Amino acid sequence: MAASSQITSMEVGKTSQDHLKVHKMKKKVLRKQVRAQHTLMRHEGIECVSHATQSLVVANAGLGNGMSRHQLFRIVEEYGLVETLLMPPNKPYSFVKYGTTEEAKKAFDALNGKEVTREDFGQNIVLYINFVEKVFWKNVVPTSLPPGLTVVEKVISPEEERRMLESIDWTEDEDTQNAQKTLKHRRVKHFGYEFCYNSNNVDKDKPLPGGFPGICNLFLEKCLKRGYIKHKPDQLTVNQYEPGQGIPPHIDTHSAFEDEIISLSLGAEIVMDFKHPDGHTVAIMLPRRSLLVMAGESRYLWTHGITPRKYDVIQASELGQKVGTITADVGDLTLNRRETRTSFTFRKVRRSPCNCIYSSVCDSQKGQQRQGQPSFPLSEMEASKLEQEHVHRVYEEIAAHFSSTRHSPWPQIVEFLRSLPKGAIVADIGCGNGKYLGINKDLYMIGCDRSKNLVDICGEKDFQAFVCDALSVPIRSGSCDACISIAVIHHFSTAERRLATIRELARLLRPGGTALIYVWAMEQEYKKQKSKYLKEKNDSKGKEEEINTDTARGLLSDQMPDGSSQDSASSDQLLNDSKGKGCDAKPVADSRLPVHTNRTSFHSQDLLVPWHLKSDTKKKGASADILSFPAGSKESQELSPVFHRYYHVFCEGELEAACRSLDCVRVQKSYYDQGNWCVVLEKL
């Protein structure tokens, strides 16, 4: 009897533990469900609902975390007729629409909290399911190839592919081993001429011995005969990529090679990314044994590269075979595992300077370009003129396009505004399109900006704003509880003008009042972390919004300075102070201002930053004179106008030093925020 009682107690205890375990698991699933709801609302603007519908969102099962369309479809089709399966690129969730609400409810009950194994990864993941009212998506217009680009399928036979691959000996090759010391991300071998990666050019007086492998010469004769190329190349670069490897976005050096460049893909297919200077990107499938021909605009103006990753997002209907661009059609995307690929890239070495019409990116014509570029200002008058031409005028003309990219407030600026007491009077000096004017409804906020067109945009949003210069703000001294100056002071071209602007902010504050200042940082890589400005692959510019959402398209562009077209300040002593802080900027006094290459590290503190204006947002009557093409030419009609904005990027400690030089304020706080130096001042 005692033994029986003991067994019963043990069983009861085990049952109780099982119930507790199940209860904890249910709580965890519910917690993850709620988190998935918040993520969906934040990223896509789609609200989950508590009642059953025909449509589900499946969190933890998307292209962004390694779930293929084939596997997910097999999982969800068990519970009914799947009318639609939408898988947004790079997102960890997918959308499923069933024929009936009952089928969707059945799938919800069976799959929520279910653990599955990703076939291609061999890893377990847990699915979290929510209902959504309706799933919308746009009919994606097929993207055209960049002008001058051609892809020819099955240009050689499998036997010719085998022979070409066997013609390259990767073992015991000293040149290859030396090359691999500088190109750790892939194996590379050169024929005809060595390409020097430190100078991005070839030594035209030092041809390599031996010439091309025989099978390559036969291939080139075929290309000439079929009209794929006009001239026989004399330089060959062979690259071998393992899954996960790639090449950075680049334009083959104009001065090194002639117009035509051809590249043969062997061993496996790959997706190559092309990008226009205006930010427009095109992903192109290059099938195995296909030939890529780049000429004209696609060769001279667009960058091309291969993103390092083990899987490519491709059209499901193409299955990696059909040539074409990869559109953002969420109803027809899947993952494709990469395999080892070898590319044979043939070029013709150029014997004279390049005189193409793409002078903005042509290294042969850079010297000619610089003659028309403004110099670093050596007087107050020159500084004012520089800012008028390369700050004020530019923002007047790009205001509409600029505003369309500025709608995501930065968290730490929002935190500053929300920390202020109710009823505080706050001035936004250089308010741009007013994206911070409505953050805290408990504040009395007023904005000002040098750009009338940006101020007009504020007015359209019913914000209080007026036109003025940051050097002289028509607000009574000591009347503000707080001020913000976000991405403004770096537009002033001398240290004195930058300091004068900070002094003007201090004048507006009452004693005890605070000011938040943001300026662009020279250091875009800080504490071994790259800023979002450098992380180009996160760029969402031009992103298709396929799924019932009006999400902000400028998330990455919002990480760039707002550049609200004002003017600025500091002193000669402050410049000397900043030089001792480890800043590697090159002095630019008595020299032309360099033009910065967007999404790259800075090499000068004073520079011109291009803004590529979308044609449909260009102000009527505006003019751009940076990219010049023959009137009526195809390029003059298709390319976006480019404007150059002046910036002074701040070295670490430079902004603090400027602020501390004023007796009327103290630095309350200083920090680094996504490529910007930031200071909170308190009026004494």
Side-chain angles (χ1 to χ4, degrees), residues 119-136:
E119 293 173 348
D120 290 335
F121 289 80
Q123 296 175 336
N124 291 347
I125 57 172
V126 179
L127 307 180
Y128 301 103
I129 318 294
N130 282 290
F131 288 106
V132 291
E133 278 291 1
K134 206 169 183 181
V135 178
F136 296 91

Side-chain angles (χ1 to χ4, degrees), residues 5 16 23-24 51 67 118 130 133 135 199 203 210 257 340 493 513 530 547 597 628:
S5 176
S16 177
H23 178 68
K24 285 184 176 179
H51 59 274
M67 178 67 73
R118 286 180 296 179
N130 282 290
E133 278 291 1
V135 178
S199 63
D203 188 338
F257 306 111
T340 301
S493 55
K530 288 184 178 180
I547 306 174
T597 301
S628 179

Side-chain angles (χ1 to χ4, degrees), residues 429 431 446-451 455 464-468 473-475:
I429 309 302
C431 61
I446 189 166
C448 63
D449 200 281
R450 186 63 173 72
S451 166
V455 168
Q464 298 296 316
F466 58 88
V467 177
C468 81
V473 181
I475 295 178

